[in-house]
Amino acid sequence: MKSQYFTQEHEIFRNSVRQFIQKEVIPHTDAWEKAREIPRSVWKRMGELGFLGISYPERFGGSDADFFFSVVFLEELALSGMGGFSTAVSVHQYMATAHIASAGSDELKQKYLVPAIKGEKIGALAVTEPGAGSDVSAIRTKAVRDGDEYVINGSKIFISNGVYGDFVTLACKTNSEAGAGGISLIVVDTNAPGFKASKLEKMGLHSSDTAELSFDNVRVPASNLIGQENSGFYYIMESFQLERLVAAIISCSGMVGCLDMTMRYLNEREAFNRPLAKFQVIRHTMADLASQVEAARQLTYHTCWLHAEGSVATRECSMAKLYATELAKKVADECLQFFGGYGYMDEYPISRMYRDTRVGTIAGGASAIMREIIAKMMFDQIQYQSAYQSDQATPAKESAPRKAEASQKTEAPVTPAKPASSAVPDTTTALFDILPKRFQPEKAKTATMTVHFKISGEKGGEHTVIVAQGKCSVQHGLQGESKCLVETDAQTYLDVELGKMEAAMAFMTGKIKVNNLQAMMQFVTWFSPVTPDMFSTQSTTPVQATSTASVSATATPAPVATGTGALDELFQGLPSRLKTEKSSGVNMIVHFNLSGALSGKYTVAVKNGECHTQQGHDGEPTCVVDVEGQTYLDIENGKLEPQMAFMSGKLKVSNIGAMMQFASLFRKIQG
């Protein structure tokens, strides 16, 4: 469905998540439900695919992607039909680790966030207690400072991931006399002496574990404190908004899956010699449900947009959570009714959906609490602000979810960039001024295109690039009607053009946004990479830089491979094209399945700065590539843009992130 919220990059990511869910999750539904546990291998697999750090900084292994990539991920989780799986993963990524990412020290992030993103450690968030649910200020679990440690005593209940998790983000009292102002957040390892988790049996969400936790003189390093002592209540209020928004996203997608499954059943099941789908009362009921689900989904998308923009969307988060979770109960109930007696049987997925849906109006703030928050904002003019806007939050305020403050986002890129030579400019204007020099008229003889660039930041500006009849001109400011609009920040644009960031990664993570991806992909092919001699200032230091059309900075002279044996030549030549400085520490195996007239199977292994290739498949692949042999030759020989091949479906990969990293490790062939 066409949407203003999702780009082609989001849909590419959606396909990747969907493939994972369909191949590696859904086939194991019954086994995980019966075992009441999600295997560790699945967490690690999600980490390998980059699914557990979508919104977190690259420095810690995340993608730093825009929030709608998370929306896509959560929607696809819900379509698995396993509420327990969706709950476990969402608690881990958007609740347990969110506080660490937002307010934790670098030490805490390295210790917990990094392995959590890799799927090596599983996190839980522990707030609710036997005597304190929605009233967070009433919790009794205490943490008393003893030298360089905290000593923790108390209990928690209804904690997702509490049994099989490796750490708990714990809400506890560090000042018993201060009420809400005396709560702190502390990370506790579940293997610490004195920690105990007891598994709870529950009505639904069977594939996830839910625990009662007890803390008996559990000693924790004082450095495990998240943010400031006694500010935990306000951090929790902040996270509640994201938790509620996540619940709304999952509920909406789960309802869509429920309706789709019911539609299939109604078309197949017959009564009185005709399909159930032919009965007007059923058709109209389904029409009403579909309309209400769409209304819930659009409210939720709007709230997601507000969150992505950094708004304090307490009102909308509460509304979306209230409406979506209440409606999910109704949808599951109505749909189960259409299944008749079969709907009451455990073997039918609708039975599981019915059980799993019920907790939605309880967890993350009961519906009554949502109504009270909305009512306070309506009648009492209560306003809410972010807990991270100041060092000391105000007790009367509740807060909405947002990313950490700018001061938290000074992370360096994963791969340190090489310093540019003095010949390379540090403003985007200078780069646009040399675009005509980089223009390759032979590639755009008959092309006509106007592209607008809106580049934010001190070094940015607005620019218009016009290509017409084999010529290129640049105007500063936006002129005329554009075929494509490009929006990014100055540093990202500089990094892409000067080879410090892969263009494809910038697009995939939302750092560069375009309203016409196909036009942009064509546009970038008309320009050569940036070189020092394009600037008036001469430099004695070579500059390794690329344009947005280029994947790697330097080309390796090699004959263009064609005809019989061409594939063998290409793969045999890969070790000589490896960028050893960029592949140090990389460990991956890629399997190629090449079909058509030029076919074959190949394995490429990169490990610690070395590359080995062989015919056939060997080892467990990080990524599998399916493509026609001729298409692959065209890509390698520069006749076909890899992005275009991917977008058109000619090139299929099982792990987009891994493939993008793999491609960046090799120099291009120079014909």
Side-chain angles (χ1 to χ4, degrees):
M1 181 181 71
K2 188 175 182 180
S3 171
Q4 62 179 323
Y5 301 109
F6 300 103
T7 65
Q8 289 175 303
E9 291 82 6
H10 291 123
E11 297 309 321
I12 291 172
F13 179 67
R14 186 186 299 279
N15 289 335
S16 177
V17 180
R18 184 166 294 180
Q19 287 179 20
F20 164 75
I21 296 293
Q22 290 177 346
K23 294 179 180 179
E24 303 186 46
V25 175
I26 292 177
H28 307 290
T29 297
D30 290 341
W32 297 356
E33 288 280 300
K34 290 177 182 177
R36 303 295 204 267
E37 182 180 0
I38 301 166
R40 284 272 174 173
S41 59
V42 178
W43 291 95
K44 290 183 179 179
R45 179 62 175 152
M46 286 189 287
E48 292 170 359
L49 293 171
F51 293 162
L52 299 181
I54 296 170
S55 60
Y56 293 141
E58 294 177 1
R59 176 184 175 188
F60 302 107
S63 301
D64 201 15
D66 70 68
F67 185 67
F68 277 93
F69 280 92
S70 287
V71 176
V72 167
F73 178 62
L74 291 166
E75 286 183 329
E76 295 303 315
L77 281 184
L79 288 177
S80 70
M82 267 196 295
F85 180 66
S86 301
T87 297
V89 177
S90 61
V91 165
H92 170 80
Q93 181 167 190
Y94 298 101
M95 297 167 211
T97 56
H99 292 295
I100 299 172
S102 295
S105 64
D106 270 3
E107 178 185 347
L108 275 183
K109 291 173 183 176
Q110 292 294 339
K111 187 177 179 181
Y112 296 102
L113 183 60
V114 171
I117 290 172
K118 292 180 179 179
E120 295 172 353
K121 285 188 176 182
I122 302 170
L125 177 66
V127 178
T128 303
E129 296 185 1
S134 297
D135 185 5
V136 176
S137 63
I139 65 171
R140 295 182 177 181
T141 298
K142 293 182 180 180
V144 178
R145 186 70 179 261
D146 182 17
D148 293 332
E149 294 180 317
Y150 284 103
V151 180
I152 301 174
N153 286 279
S155 63
K156 298 289 178 180
I157 200 166
F158 310 137
I159 308 305
S160 298
N161 299 341
V163 178
Y164 301 119
D166 300 288
F167 65 89
V168 174
T169 299
L170 177 72
C172 51
K173 283 285 184 71
T174 43
N175 184 346
S176 299
E177 307 301 321
I183 295 174
S184 297
L185 290 178
I186 299 174
V187 185
V188 181
D189 290 305
T190 57
N191 61 1
F195 175 91
K196 182 180 178 182
S198 302
K199 197 169 189 177
L200 300 173
E201 293 299 324
K202 52 192 185 293
M203 174 181 173
L205 306 182
H206 288 167
S207 55
S208 69
D209 59 286
T210 303
E212 181 174 8
L213 309 180
S214 64
F215 303 82
D216 183 9
N217 290 319
V218 177
R219 304 188 76 89
V220 178
S223 58
N224 277 24
L225 174 71
I226 297 175
Q228 294 189 352
E229 190 174 76
N230 300 324
S231 292
F233 178 81
Y234 315 110
Y235 298 153
I236 294 167
M237 293 302 104
E238 178 96 2
S239 72
F240 269 163
Q241 307 315 314
L242 178 57
E243 182 175 347
R244 290 159 187 168
L245 184 53
V246 166
I249 296 167
I250 290 175
S251 293
C252 287
S253 186
M255 286 188 284
V256 170
C258 187
L259 289 177
D260 287 345
M261 180 182 65
T262 304
M263 285 286 292
R264 290 193 297 271
Y265 179 80
L266 293 175
N267 280 309
E268 295 169 359
R269 178 71 171 171
E270 291 190 355
F272 304 101
N273 298 318
R274 57 176 174 159
L276 293 179
K278 295 296 184 180
F279 289 86
Q280 188 181 68
V281 66
I282 293 176
R283 294 162 68 91
H284 287 189
T285 300
M286 290 293 287
D288 284 343
L289 292 176
S291 299
Q292 293 167 39
V293 169
E294 188 60 30
R297 188 157 63 161
Q298 293 306 319
L299 169 61
T300 300
Y301 283 163
H302 173 66
T303 307
C304 290
W305 177 79
L306 290 174
H307 169 75
E309 292 293 304
S311 298
V312 181
T314 304
R315 172 178 173 270
E316 290 78 7
C317 285
S318 300
M319 287 178 169
K321 200 267 184 184
L322 171 64
Y323 188 63
T325 56
E326 288 287 349
L327 180 60
K329 289 195 306 181
K330 176 183 176 181
V331 169
D333 184 61
E334 295 270 14
C335 288
L336 187 147
Q337 187 72 23
F338 293 140
F339 282 79
Y342 292 111
Y344 203 64
M345 300 298 107
D346 275 348
E347 63 186 278
Y348 273 69
I350 187 66
S351 175
R352 181 175 64 253
M353 291 181 180
Y354 181 86
R355 297 193 310 270
D356 289 350
T357 298
R358 187 59 187 85
V359 75
T361 58
I362 300 171
S367 291
I369 298 296
M370 298 302 98
R371 293 186 177 100
E372 183 60 19
I373 291 171
I374 297 166
K376 281 184 177 180
M377 298 187 75
M378 290 175 61
F379 292 101
D380 304 331
Q381 303 300 309
I382 298 295
Q383 298 297 317
Y384 298 88
Q385 66 181 24
S386 170
Y388 299 108
Q389 289 178 347
S390 62
D391 290 340
Q392 296 296 328
T394 306
K397 307 292 185 182
E398 195 171 318
S399 52
R402 61 184 292 173
K403 289 187 177 181
E405 288 293 289
S407 61
Q408 297 283 345
K409 303 195 81 173
T410 56
E411 295 84 2
V414 176
T415 304
K418 296 181 179 180
S421 77
S422 59
V424 177
D426 62 354
T427 66
T428 58
T429 300
L431 282 171
F432 279 96
D433 286 341
I434 66 164
L435 267 181
K437 294 182 181 180
R438 297 166 52 195
F439 184 61
Q440 303 176 84
E442 69 280 0
K443 291 187 176 182
K445 291 180 180 179
T446 61
T448 300
M449 186 183 298
T450 298
V451 180
H452 285 170
F453 289 81
K454 287 186 177 180
I455 302 178
S456 60
E458 184 180 348
K459 299 176 182 179
E462 296 184 341
H463 310 276
T464 300
V465 182
I466 303 171
V467 174
Q469 298 178 343
K471 295 181 180 180
C472 172
S473 61
V474 176
Q475 299 176 7
H476 300 305
L478 303 183
Q479 305 290 331
E481 184 175 346
S482 69
K483 189 172 184 179
C484 180
L485 171 65
V486 182
E487 296 179 284
T488 185
D489 63 273
Q491 193 57 57
T492 296
Y493 188 79
L494 286 165
D495 287 346
V496 168
E497 288 285 53
L498 300 178
K500 298 178 181 179
M501 180 186 297
E502 298 296 332
M505 184 61 74
F507 280 111
M508 288 296 296
T509 57
K511 292 184 177 180
I512 295 180
K513 299 178 181 178
V514 299
N515 65 353
N516 188 334
L517 184 59
Q518 186 173 359
M520 188 59 186
M521 291 170 67
Q522 181 183 21
F523 177 81
V524 297
T525 64
W526 299 335
F527 298 88
S528 62
V530 176
T531 58
D533 58 1
M534 292 176 178
F535 303 98
S536 56
T537 304
Q538 298 299 316
S539 171
T540 57
T541 306
V543 178
Q544 294 186 353
T546 67
S547 71
T548 52
S550 179
V551 174
S552 58
T554 310
T556 298
V560 176
T562 58
T564 306
L567 295 178
D568 289 343
E569 292 177 23
L570 275 176
F571 284 98
Q572 289 170 5
L574 276 177
S576 65
R577 293 164 51 197
L578 183 70
K579 301 176 185 177
T580 54
E581 74 284 354
K582 203 167 187 179
S583 57
S584 177
V586 175
N587 187 2
M588 67 167 56
I589 295 175
V590 179
H591 285 174
F592 287 82
N593 292 316
L594 304 173
S595 58
L598 297 176
S599 61
K601 295 182 183 294
Y602 298 87
T603 297
V604 181
V606 177
K607 186 173 183 180
N608 296 328
E610 294 185 358
C611 174
H612 302 280
T613 65
Q614 68 180 69
Q615 289 188 349
H617 291 167
D618 184 37
E620 185 69 24
T622 310
C623 179
V624 178
V625 180
D626 292 284
V627 64
E628 286 192 358
Q630 188 58 56
T631 299
Y632 186 70
L633 285 176
D634 290 344
I635 292 172
E636 287 283 41
N637 292 329
K639 296 179 180 179
L640 178 64
E641 291 296 319
Q643 297 98 324
M644 187 63 74
F646 187 85
M647 289 296 296
S648 63
K650 293 182 178 180
L651 176 67
K652 298 178 181 179
V653 300
S654 64
N655 186 330
I656 297 173
M659 190 58 190
M660 291 171 67
Q661 180 186 21
F662 178 81
S664 70
L665 301 178
F666 296 90
R667 289 181 285 272
K668 296 186 74 174
I669 292 175
Q670 180 177 312

